[in-house]
């Protein structure tokens, strides 16, 4: 099983801030990585796939980068609707695994 | 528009069984692999099981140790998860999810159904 580790686990930020979340894989997953946004009581929402491809309909302030074992999700200017928990997920193997999540809170 | 509607969750005693269902619409169901992903209270997301579009190949997370069975009825556009020998640690919201392509990322999620295992 490939382990995914996100940092930080929690962060406080203000509207307009640039936010960066890191995800590390326990072994190389090439670019087989996705990012999701999850709000309480809602279904998770796909943001990024293939490490850097923006899902249709997702605002361009979201971007992803990285390959191999190190990846980042960046929100260029945090908006009120962006306060949520973010998860990375690898799909290099059929046993898909998620990071533990990064909760973005209001400062 | 893709819609995934889970049902079948509830309260069950340890050692008991439940069968979850997921009614799918808005896409050609038999063209896509489907999965179940769960979230235990206060925890993150965890992939549980997947099944190929034709239903011929199931995949399971190692921790299940044979207790769960995934299946699908393509004539009814419905996905199932039969859960046996349930344990307290199986308590979670169970999401029905659509694979973008077989065994890749998940492009559509249901709202989830809560399974509580408790005496």
């Amino acid at each position: 099983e490939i382990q995914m580790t996100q940092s930080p686990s929690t962060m406080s930020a203000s509207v307009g801030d640039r936010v960066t979340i890191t995800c590390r894989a326990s072994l190389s997953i090439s670019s087989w990585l996705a990012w999701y946004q999850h709000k309480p009581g809602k279904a998770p929402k796909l943001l990024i796939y293939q490490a850097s491809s923006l899902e249709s309909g997702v605002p361009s302030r979201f971007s992803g980068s990285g390959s191999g074992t190190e990846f980042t999700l960046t929100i260029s200017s945090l908006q009120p609707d962006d306060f949520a928990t973010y998860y990375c997920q690898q799909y290099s193997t059929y046993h898909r695994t998620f990071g533990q999540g990064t909760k973005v809170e209001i400062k | 528009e893709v819609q995934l509607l889970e049902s079948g969750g509830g309260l069950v005693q340890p050692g008991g069984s439940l069968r979850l269902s997921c009614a799918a619409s808005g896409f050609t169901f038999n063209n896509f692999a489907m999965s179940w992903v769960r979230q235990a209270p206060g925890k993150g997301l965890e992939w549980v099981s997947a099944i190929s579009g034709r239903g011929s190949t199931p995949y399971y997370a190692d921790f299940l140790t044979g207790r769960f069975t995934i299946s699908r009825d393509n004539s009814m556009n419905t996905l199932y998860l039969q859960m046996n020998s349930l344990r307290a640690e199986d308590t979670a919201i169970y999401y029905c999810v659509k694979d973008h392509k077989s065994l890749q990322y998940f492009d559509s999620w249901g709202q989830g159904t809560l399974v509580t295992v408790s005496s």
Side-chain angles (χ1 to χ4, degrees), chain A residues 1 32 34 36 38 41-46 49-50 55 87 89-91 93-100, chain B residues 35 37 39 43-47 50 59-63 95 99 101-107 109-111:
Chain A
E1 178 181 322
W32 304 118
Y36 301 88
H38 194 197
K42 299 285 189 71
K45 175 185 176 182
L46 174 67
Y49 60 93
Q50 204 69 12
E55 172 71 348
Y87 293 92
Q89 175 239 322
Q90 67 80 21
Y91 49 101
T93 65
Y94 79 83
H95 187 154
R96 276 70 60 85
T97 48
F98 294 85
Q100 80 279 16
Chain B
S35 293
V37 172
Q39 184 177 34
K43 303 293 186 181
L45 300 170
E46 182 176 53
W47 173 78
Y59 303 86
Y60 299 100
D62 292 342
F63 59 78
Y95 294 99
D99 284 31
K101 291 184 180 179
S102 188
L103 307 180
Q104 291 196 358
Y105 56 91
F106 308 115
D107 62 19
W109 297 65
Q111 292 295 317

Side-chain angles (χ1 to χ4, degrees), chain B residues 71-98:
Chain B
S71 62
R72 63 193 294 163
D73 184 339
N74 286 345
S75 68
M76 297 289 289
N77 287 358
T78 303
L79 175 72
Y80 302 101
L81 186 68
Q82 177 67 44
M83 304 186 295
N84 299 328
S85 303
L86 283 161
R87 306 167 179 167
E89 55 265 36
D90 296 318
T91 294
I93 296 172
Y94 285 74
Y95 294 99
C96 169
V97 292
K98 172 181 168 288

Side-chain angles (χ1 to χ4, degrees), chain B residues 50-59 72 74:
Chain B
I51 189 166
S52 61
R54 294 183 180 181
S56 55
T57 309
Y59 303 86
R72 63 193 294 163
N74 286 345

Side-chain angles (χ1 to χ4, degrees), chain A residues 30-35 48-53 64 66 71 91, chain B residues 104-105:
Chain A
S30 185
S31 295
W32 304 118
L33 186 99
W35 289 95
I48 302 283
Y49 60 93
Q50 204 69 12
S52 60
S53 296
F71 302 86
Y91 49 101
Chain B
Q104 291 196 358
Y105 56 91

